[in-house]
Amino acid sequence: MAKDLTVSQIERQNVLNNTAALPRIQEALEIEALEFQGVYYVTKQMAADYYGVELRTIENCLADNEEELRHNGYRL
């Protein structure tokens, strides 16, 4: 059975801990990111453009999930 990343924080964390999977996921999803000193960054506007939503939608998602995101390295 496939893991549902939308409901399982543990499964999301497992993906983030898999350093071999992250570049493959980025490539498969054709996510454009900015690389600086070996760290990839995505702006809020880049995320909004990728998902085809308004910037406010991204900001609301970030606010709703702030604790988990910060735990996983989210930086503003």
Side-chain angles (χ1 to χ4, degrees):
M1 178 185 286
K3 306 293 183 180
D4 188 346
L5 299 179
T6 63
V7 295
S8 175
Q9 184 175 353
I10 292 170
E11 293 302 330
R12 289 191 298 275
Q13 190 64 48
N14 287 340
V15 170
L16 292 172
N17 289 337
N18 186 338
T19 56
L22 290 177
R24 293 177 62 199
I25 293 168
Q26 181 180 355
E27 183 180 321
L29 296 177
E30 298 179 358
I31 296 173
E32 304 240 350
L34 307 170
E35 182 182 359
F36 179 70
Q37 297 181 342
V39 178
Y40 290 95
Y41 296 91
V42 176
T43 67
K44 291 187 282 185
Q45 187 61 59
M46 290 168 73
D49 292 344
Y50 179 82
Y51 287 107
V53 298
E54 296 293 323
L55 184 59
R56 181 166 174 88
T57 301
I58 299 299
E59 291 171 341
N60 288 338
C61 288
L62 292 172
D64 291 347
N65 299 285
E66 183 175 10
E67 183 178 332
E68 180 181 349
L69 292 168
R70 287 199 186 280
H71 173 76
N72 289 317
Y74 170 73
R75 291 181 238 167
L76 183 60

